Amino acid sequence: MTLERPRGVRDFPPKEMHEHLAVTKKLESVFHSFGYERVRTPTFEFLSLFEAKSGEEIKDHLYVFDDKGGRSLCLRPEATASVARMYGSDLRTHPKPLRLYYVEPMFRYEQPQRGRYREFWQAGVELIGGAGPYADAEAILMASNALTAIGLENAVRIGNIGFLRELLGGLGFDDAKQNKVIHALDKGEMDSVAEMVSSDIFNEVIGLHGGLDAIDRLLELAPDGLKASVEGFRKTIGLLSGCKVDYTVDMGMARGLDYYTGIVFDVKATGLGAQNQVCGGGRYDRLIGLFGGPETPAVGFAFGVDRLVEALNEGGKAVETPRCDVYVASVSEAVRERAFSIAAAVRSGNPGLDVRFDIAGYKVNKALQHASEVGARYALIVGERELAEDAVVVKNMESSTQETIGISGLNPYFSSKRAPD
Ligand code: HAM
């Protein structure tokens, strides 16, 4: 019998679990501040959901299996396709735009390495039924705000696959040929891009990089039919500048997924090595229609939560693990039951307080040592003498001072000493 974990999956002992949840909680509070509501989709889906538009990167890395009825299923590698499917089947009559988010594990059969797992967590948002610069800017602003909230730098790189596809379409590239160029761009295989596309304009466009100046040049280079789309792009960038978002336009940016039809963006964190992309997203206006729903514009992104936590730890911004607030011990077996009920009363009188009863029944010195090992802020010691006067001893573990406090005064005492959240 083997007790090893499968490759590429992780355990989350308490510290890691706490870090993960603390980061997710902060992301969620930013999502809520923009009015996004949480949804959940199935862990496995029909394989066909991901075959159409997920792109080579993902299609080659699916966990595929047949169920007992012979249906071809797979573990979800991402949730955008699932949310698009859910919208088309269940939510299409809801007032638009719909602001949705999810925090779920995803599965990709990739070569495991630092920051790249076979099961990993995404916190993602999808803004469905919103077209144009305000929707694009909202998605990018929210990603940037969420990174600020957790304390990470957030320079967003913004490209425009929609524009590149239009340009390629004008040069006679069909969808399949466009995908090839986009994938080569995504992988940074510039020689192969130059081989496939000989247009000077295209080659200058993918080299454009910077701020509004890059968009000015894009406008000059754009064929007449694409100038309006560049104006829209400029508006998005202007909105982001107005909100002080740190961004760079990079027209050579592409993404591995095939469903993007407009802007694309990502954020890379420092100190993570090769797998440093902590956020990726973009506009996908044709995915919902492809799944049988009404053609509906949409934009979204997803954070890789595992990588966010790692980036915080790398940057010396580790999330603090919660400490025990009150450790309740007793001096003897005779008062132990009473100590147990005092612990219960302090716990229910102070919601949110971490109150731990000394289950082991240690002698006082050993109990205090254990209290200090678990980082307790206070030790509450129930002794026979004090109990006779309806009181207990409370020791402040940081200052090592102690005082005798009446049992009826314990709740107000601890509620005034609550550690901040
Ligand atoms: P994605 O870029 O494939 O986009 O994934 C989003 C994020 O998930 C990445 O930036 C990365 O942080 C994390 N991630 C991806 N693969 C792994 C892995 N093997 N191990 C650890 N983390 C990983 C999407 O999935 C799109 N659905 C995003 C989106 C939402 N676009 C529009 N709406």
Side-chain angles (χ1 to χ4, degrees), residues 58 77-81 102 106-108 110-111 113 115-127 255-257 259-260 265-267 275-284 298-308:
I58 284 187
E78 59 117 31
T80 307
Y102 47 86
M106 308 295 159
F107 307 85
R108 297 185 192 175
E110 297 183 291
Q111 202 49 44
Q113 53 178 276
R116 179 187 272 175
Y117 306 101
R118 289 182 172 171
E119 180 187 30
F120 59 96
W121 268 256
Q122 280 190 351
V125 309
E126 313 295 349
L127 170 52
R255 307 234 319 118
L257 293 145
Y259 50 61
Y260 294 116
F265 57 96
D266 68 12
V267 181
Q275 303 306 317
N276 60 355
Q277 194 196 102
V278 291
C279 173
R283 170 163 290 285
Y284 52 98
V299 60
F301 65 83
F303 286 116
V305 180
D306 312 77
R307 291 185 190 172
L308 291 177

Side-chain angles (χ1 to χ4, degrees), residues 39 60-61 219 396:
V39 293
D60 291 347
H61 298 122
L219 194 58
N396 180 324

Side-chain angles (χ1 to χ4, degrees), residues 13 64 90 121-122 128-129 203 214 271 318 365 390 406 416 418:
V64 181
D90 300 336
W121 268 256
Q122 280 190 351
I128 298 183
N203 285 309
N365 278 348
D390 278 330
S416 69
R418 283 272 298 278

Side-chain angles (χ1 to χ4, degrees), residues 61-373:
H61 298 122
L62 291 175
Y63 270 92
V64 181
F65 58 99
D66 285 348
D67 70 4
K68 289 184 180 170
R71 287 167 285 255
S72 202
L73 303 172
C74 77
L75 298 181
R76 63 170 171 226
E78 59 117 31
T80 307
S82 303
V83 173
R85 177 194 48 66
M86 172 169 73
Y87 173 79
S89 56
D90 300 336
L91 299 173
R92 57 163 87 183
T93 56
H94 283 234
K96 282 182 279 293
L98 266 136
R99 293 180 160 95
L100 310 174
Y101 80 89
Y102 47 86
V103 183
E104 303 292 344
M106 308 295 159
F107 307 85
R108 297 185 192 175
Y109 194 77
E110 297 183 291
Q111 202 49 44
Q113 53 178 276
R114 182 175 172 213
R116 179 187 272 175
Y117 306 101
R118 289 182 172 171
E119 180 187 30
F120 59 96
W121 268 256
Q122 280 190 351
V125 309
E126 313 295 349
L127 170 52
I128 298 183
Y134 287 96
D136 288 349
E138 174 167 306
I140 296 176
L141 175 64
M142 190 163 45
S144 164
N145 284 2
L147 288 167
T148 306
I150 62 171
L152 278 186
E153 279 180 26
N154 45 72
V156 190
R157 192 167 65 118
I158 308 172
N160 196 329
I161 283 193
F163 182 87
L164 298 185
R165 284 192 182 276
E166 294 276 0
L167 207 53
L168 290 168
L171 295 169
F173 285 65
D174 63 13
D175 262 12
K177 282 192 185 152
Q178 290 176 21
N179 289 348
K180 282 209 170 108
V181 178
I182 302 285
H183 290 157
L185 257 183
D186 184 38
K187 293 203 181 100
E189 295 163 356
M190 303 319 280
D191 288 350
S192 142
V193 173
E195 225 168 79
M196 285 187 271
V197 196
S198 54
S199 153
D200 288 345
I201 292 190
F202 184 84
N203 285 309
E204 183 174 345
V205 164
I206 58 175
L208 289 176
H209 197 271
L212 281 169
D213 50 326
I215 308 235
D216 287 340
R217 182 67 187 138
L218 188 63
L219 194 58
E220 284 166 14
L221 291 170
D224 285 348
L226 290 185
K227 293 214 190 282
S229 132
V230 180
E231 291 293 1
F233 191 31
R234 176 201 282 282
K235 173 93 180 171
T236 306
I237 300 298
L239 291 169
L240 295 172
S241 300
C243 297
K244 311 238 171 328
V245 171
D246 181 5
Y247 72 87
T248 312
V249 171
D250 180 354
M251 286 303 295
M253 181 192 167
R255 307 234 319 118
L257 293 145
D258 283 347
Y259 50 61
Y260 294 116
T261 57
I263 57 144
V264 283
F265 57 96
D266 68 12
V267 181
K268 295 196 163 122
T270 44
L272 288 191
Q275 303 306 317
N276 60 355
Q277 194 196 102
V278 291
C279 173
R283 170 163 290 285
Y284 52 98
D285 287 349
R286 287 200 276 279
L287 196 60
I288 294 168
L290 187 81
F291 295 157
E295 280 270 298
T296 310
V299 60
F301 65 83
F303 286 116
V305 180
D306 312 77
R307 291 185 190 172
L308 291 177
V309 171
E310 205 176 323
L312 286 169
N313 286 336
E314 277 297 320
K317 293 178 184 159
V319 176
E320 267 189 44
T321 26
R323 297 168 53 180
C324 165
D325 292 310
V326 187
Y327 186 102
V328 180
S330 50
V331 297
S332 67
E333 196 53 38
V335 291
R336 213 158 163 236
E337 258 182 48
R338 203 55 217 292
F340 190 76
S341 66
I342 289 171
V346 171
R347 201 177 289 117
S348 48
N350 293 276
L353 212 65
D354 169 347
V355 181
R356 299 186 202 178
F357 177 72
D358 168 29
I359 289 286
Y362 290 130
K363 295 226 160 27
V364 172
N365 278 348
K366 181 79 202 295
L368 286 174
Q369 187 189 330
H370 189 224
S372 133
E373 279 161 7

